[in-house]
Amino acid sequence: MMTTLYGILLILSVIIVIYMAQKNYDKISFNYWTLLILMPVIILGYYLKTTVTTIEGARIVMCFIYFDSTLLPTVLLFSILNLAGIRVKDWIKALVYGLAFGHLFLVWFTVNNKLYYEDIKLIDTGMGTATKMTGGPLRFIHWIFIGIVFVYIVVILIFAII
């Protein structure tokens, strides 16, 4: 059931990307297109996570899924700032995107040596494969990064409401 759901979401997200590309071809926004392209990749990662049969496959799929907690909140942050009319200097954008990609590369390069995940287990649930992971010593960096980005998003939304 879960694999079917992720498959349907993947097909719908690809159709939405194609539809939006047809409608907005004359007005290109970096944040908009980045969000639109990242969503099918993330949904595909979650879909593949429910179908993997090896631990190595689960590690590879997790690298794609980490787009949703590294790059996606960063793009969302700048999209909200752009929508609110707040101009962000280019060097700040470069720094934040550099940190997001650095964080992503940290995950990619340490996923195999037990620094990021100490243990990965696959559990067959009948609806797909569940992946159980035990965090390693570098996992706290992930939570610090996500915490900082989401605190900024919440602060911006509070200021927008006020």
Side-chain angles (χ1 to χ4, degrees):
M1 181 175 157
M2 291 305 289
T3 56
T4 305
L5 177 65
Y6 283 127
I8 291 169
L9 286 174
L10 177 63
I11 291 169
L12 286 176
S13 65
V14 169
I15 290 170
I16 290 169
V17 167
I18 292 170
Y19 175 76
M20 297 304 281
Q22 294 295 324
K23 289 299 209 179
N24 295 323
Y25 62 90
D26 56 337
K27 184 179 176 185
I28 296 174
S29 167
F30 173 76
N31 295 323
Y32 172 79
W33 285 104
T34 305
L35 289 170
L36 208 57
I37 291 169
L38 276 178
M39 290 315 297
V41 172
I42 293 166
I43 293 171
L44 176 64
Y46 280 108
Y47 170 73
L48 292 174
K49 186 180 173 188
T50 62
T51 61
V52 293
T53 56
T54 64
I55 292 174
E56 290 80 17
R59 286 185 179 137
I60 291 169
V61 169
M62 285 306 296
C63 290
F64 286 104
I65 290 174
Y66 269 98
F67 277 118
D68 78 343
S69 59
T70 55
L71 194 58
L72 189 63
T74 307
V75 175
L76 184 64
L77 173 67
F78 286 122
S79 182
I80 291 171
L81 287 171
N82 188 23
L83 186 65
I86 300 171
R87 181 104 170 111
V88 179
K89 295 181 181 180
D90 290 337
W91 68 270
I92 294 174
K93 285 183 184 179
L95 178 69
V96 173
Y97 279 121
L99 286 172
F101 278 110
H103 179 201
L104 190 63
F105 290 137
L106 176 75
V107 173
W108 287 353
F109 292 135
T110 61
V111 78
N112 286 325
N113 59 10
K114 296 189 178 190
L115 286 174
Y116 208 78
Y117 291 119
E118 286 185 15
D119 188 31
I120 298 177
K121 293 179 184 173
L122 300 177
I123 303 165
D124 186 22
T125 63
M127 293 190 301
T129 306
T131 308
K132 182 179 179 184
M133 293 161 269
T134 306
L138 292 180
R139 182 96 167 133
F140 74 94
I141 293 173
H142 176 71
W143 293 110
I144 291 171
F145 179 80
I146 289 175
I148 290 170
V149 171
F150 280 115
V151 163
Y152 279 117
I153 289 173
V154 168
V155 167
I156 290 168
L157 290 176
I158 289 171
F159 279 125
I161 290 170
I162 292 174

